[in-house]
């Protein structure tokens, strides 16, 4: 079994533990052996094992439960969200948006308040006014869809939406500059229909309209 051979010991011990977790030695949710078992396996003292466990806990891989032990909470170190988004292609981002916005539109139809509905209608009007200029359309379209997600009253969906939109902006601008006309009446009507479905409290129609719109957007990237 591999042992730590160079400093810093805690860092090396943490990497060895992580390698064993990645290799499947412990399953998700499984309890790790105690310090007295791990220390000789890694060739370090118990205090170094404790520090290594603290490091992996800070990285989201392990969790210490008082009186119960140390448990595996992830099978690898979660990547930084911005790094993941930068590496993802635009089609993958839109696919993720489909999941987020389809659910959000359905929830908005059920949960929207009168104030939410006013905000959605204002955003739709702004979008209609700014249809002639590409960058303005992209930004106003994003603003419109954000009001729909906000009306779902799920802070996680809104956080995810806000994380995706900067990654999409330039790609959408480039796509719309190539595709002429970049906003036709049918596209605008689709947004109007979405607003009406939300206003009517029609969960199924709102979700379907959102999904259909975003699938068309994905097809437009080809």
């Amino acid at each position: 079994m591999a042992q730590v051979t160079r400093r810093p010991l805690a860092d090396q011990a943490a990497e060895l533990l992580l390698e064993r977790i990645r290799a499947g030695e412990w399953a998700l949710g499984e309890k790790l052996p105690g310090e007295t078992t791990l220390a000789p396996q890694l060739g370090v003292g118990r205090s170094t094992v404790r520090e290594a466990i603290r490091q992996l806990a800070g990285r989201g891989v392990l969790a210490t439960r008082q009186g119960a032990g140390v448990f595996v909470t992830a099978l690898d170190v979660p990547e930084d969200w911005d790094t993941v988004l930068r590496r993802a292609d635009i089609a993958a981002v839109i696919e993720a948006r489909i999941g987020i916005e389809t659910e959000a539109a359905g929830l908005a139809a059920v949960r929207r308040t009168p104030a939410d509905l006013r905000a959605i209608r204002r955003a739709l009007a702004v979008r209609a006014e700014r249809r002639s200029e590409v960058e303005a359309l992209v930004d106003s379209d994003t603003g419109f869809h954000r009001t729909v997600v906000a009306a779902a009253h799920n802070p996680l969906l809104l956080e995810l939406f806000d994380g995706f939109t900067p990654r999409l902006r330039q790609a959408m601008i480039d796509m719309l500059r190539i595709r002429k006309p970049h906003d036709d009446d049918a596209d605008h009507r689709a947004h109007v229909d979405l607003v009406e479905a939300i206003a009517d409290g029609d969960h199924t129609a709102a979700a379907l309209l959102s999904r259909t719109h975003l699938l068309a957007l994905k097809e437009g990237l080809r």
Side-chain angles (χ1 to χ4, degrees), residues 16-100:
L16 287 174
L17 282 175
L18 183 57
E19 286 174 12
R20 292 169 67 179
I21 292 168
R22 285 170 173 157
E25 187 168 340
W26 300 291
L28 191 65
E30 188 174 347
K31 181 179 177 180
L32 260 62
E35 294 172 5
T36 54
T37 299
L38 289 174
Q41 290 179 358
L42 298 172
V44 298
R46 291 174 60 185
S47 62
T48 302
V49 173
R50 283 194 293 273
E51 175 58 29
I53 288 171
R54 276 195 292 270
Q55 286 188 25
L56 292 179
R59 297 165 76 183
V61 176
L62 299 176
T64 301
R65 301 176 191 167
Q66 191 67 34
V70 179
F71 295 82
V72 178
T73 54
L75 298 179
D76 204 346
V77 177
E79 283 195 274
D80 176 77
W81 185 235
D82 289 339
T83 301
V84 173
L85 282 178
R86 281 195 299 271
R87 192 169 59 245
D89 63 36
I90 299 302
V93 174
I94 293 178
E95 288 171 355
R97 275 190 64 188
I98 290 170
I100 293 167

Side-chain angles (χ1 to χ4, degrees), residues 89-128:
D89 63 36
I90 299 302
V93 174
I94 293 178
E95 288 171 355
R97 275 190 64 188
I98 290 170
I100 293 167
E101 293 188 51
T102 298
E103 180 65 16
L107 291 174
V110 176
R111 298 177 179 174
R112 55 94 181 141
T113 65
D116 290 330
L117 194 53
R118 287 193 296 271
I120 291 170
R121 291 193 186 281
R122 281 196 302 270
L124 180 65
V126 170
R127 185 187 186 282

Side-chain angles (χ1 to χ4, degrees), residues 71 150 154 182:
F71 295 82
N154 182 315
H182 53 255

